[in-house]
Amino acid sequence: VAEKQWTNVEAIDIDHYVAIRREYEVVDAKLLKIEEKINRSLGKSARYANRRDVYEMDGSWIVNCFEYLRYSSIKRKHKRLLVQVRFHEMRVHFIEFNQLHHKFRVSEYLKLSLNDVFEKLVHISPAAWLSLVACANVALFSLNLL
């Protein structure tokens, strides 16, 4: 899933990224405003309150349901935009730090790195496989005797 997101985000041109960045800032401000409203109701500092508490406290549950749905919708949008913004920032930093060409495919590099780490993690020597198979056979044989 992450690999597909990396490729899709990397395909976004710079003009579209600027629009995404602006949209992210607007959504972030809306989300912060809602969270501050919730936190004022609960007497807690921003971004540390349990959002469900405020919707269960007040007696007007219909309004609370709509507010909670609105909050959930904005939170999902915020998360989606945040992934795009952070990947782009990480990509720009990686390219500048390593002095690479601006068309360098960071998503392909990340895929190859992820596969390499996975292969090193999963690699088990033939001797370990043989001992594992032998132990499994002994265990199954001893269980059949019982």
Side-chain angles (χ1 to χ4, degrees):
V1 175
E3 296 170 359
K4 188 179 265 188
Q5 281 183 331
W6 295 337
T7 306
N8 292 341
V9 172
E10 198 166 35
I12 296 173
D13 65 347
I14 191 68
D15 295 330
H16 192 220
Y17 169 74
V18 170
I20 288 172
R21 180 67 190 206
R22 287 187 185 134
E23 184 181 6
Y24 168 76
E25 291 169 355
V26 169
V27 169
D28 190 49
K30 284 181 185 178
L31 186 65
L32 187 59
K33 191 182 295 184
I34 291 171
E35 288 177 345
E36 285 175 348
K37 178 182 172 186
I38 292 169
N39 294 332
R40 273 194 310 274
S41 301
L42 296 173
K44 298 181 180 179
S45 61
R47 298 200 189 259
Y48 292 104
N50 182 359
R51 280 92 176 138
R52 294 179 189 208
D53 292 347
V54 77
Y55 300 108
E56 295 168 0
M57 284 174 36
D58 197 351
S60 56
W61 62 273
I62 293 177
V63 174
N64 291 340
C65 288
F66 286 123
E67 283 294 317
Y68 187 74
L69 289 174
R70 182 173 166 251
Y71 172 78
S72 298
S73 170
I74 291 174
K75 186 70 175 173
R76 276 192 308 276
K77 189 174 188 178
H78 181 266
K79 190 179 269 188
R80 180 181 52 83
L81 292 170
L82 183 63
V83 167
Q84 294 176 354
V85 168
R86 284 197 176 155
F87 179 82
H88 183 77
E89 289 173 352
M90 185 265 317
R91 180 182 181 275
V92 168
H93 177 72
F94 183 82
I95 288 173
E96 287 176 357
F97 183 77
N98 294 302
Q99 299 174 348
L100 301 169
H101 191 268
H102 71 280
K103 292 187 178 184
F104 181 78
R105 305 288 296 183
V106 174
S107 61
E108 292 297 322
Y109 174 78
L110 288 174
K111 285 181 201 176
L112 291 173
S113 297
L114 189 64
N115 288 338
D116 186 51
V117 168
F118 184 71
E119 287 173 5
K120 288 178 182 176
L121 181 69
V122 175
H123 179 70
I124 300 173
S125 67
W129 276 115
L130 289 175
S131 60
L132 178 67
V133 169
C135 290
N137 285 330
V138 169
L140 288 174
F141 180 73
S142 62
L143 286 175
N144 286 336
L145 290 179
L146 298 175

